[in-house]
Amino acid sequence: VRNRISIKKIRSKIRIIREQKRSEVKQDNPQLKFGDITKELATRWKALSDEDKRVLQAKFSPSFIYNQF
């Protein structure tokens, strides 16, 4: 059960990051369709170093987001 919870939390963080960055990709590439934007986000995510991924995941962690309100 703990593994499922951990995976769910990680997926949630990635989803939040993706939603936050989607507008940035759309602004840079207005001609891209929804599926192409998702592919571009995946490419950008894969290109990040592990440290950069950790920084983004920490920045968009649920505790960070809930403290913004």
Side-chain angles (χ1 to χ4, degrees):
V1 175
R2 285 183 177 222
N3 290 340
R4 288 183 183 175
I5 293 170
S6 298
I7 291 170
K8 190 172 185 177
K9 286 182 181 181
I10 291 170
R11 285 185 184 161
S12 296
K13 288 180 186 179
I14 293 171
R15 178 181 290 163
I16 292 167
I17 293 166
R18 184 180 65 220
E19 289 169 1
Q20 295 290 323
K21 296 293 184 177
R22 181 174 295 283
S23 61
E24 180 182 312
V25 171
K26 183 68 176 169
Q27 187 175 21
D28 293 345
N29 305 290
Q31 76 285 1
L32 292 180
K33 295 181 180 180
F34 184 83
D36 297 326
I37 293 172
T38 302
K39 290 177 187 175
E40 176 64 24
L41 288 166
T43 301
R44 290 184 183 194
W45 180 257
K46 290 176 185 175
L48 291 175
S49 68
D50 289 339
E51 182 59 31
D52 289 338
K53 288 178 184 178
R54 275 189 237 117
V55 169
L56 281 172
Q57 288 177 343
K59 179 179 178 184
F60 292 111
S61 69
S63 61
F64 175 83
I65 292 168
Y66 294 135
N67 288 333
Q68 296 296 311
F69 298 104

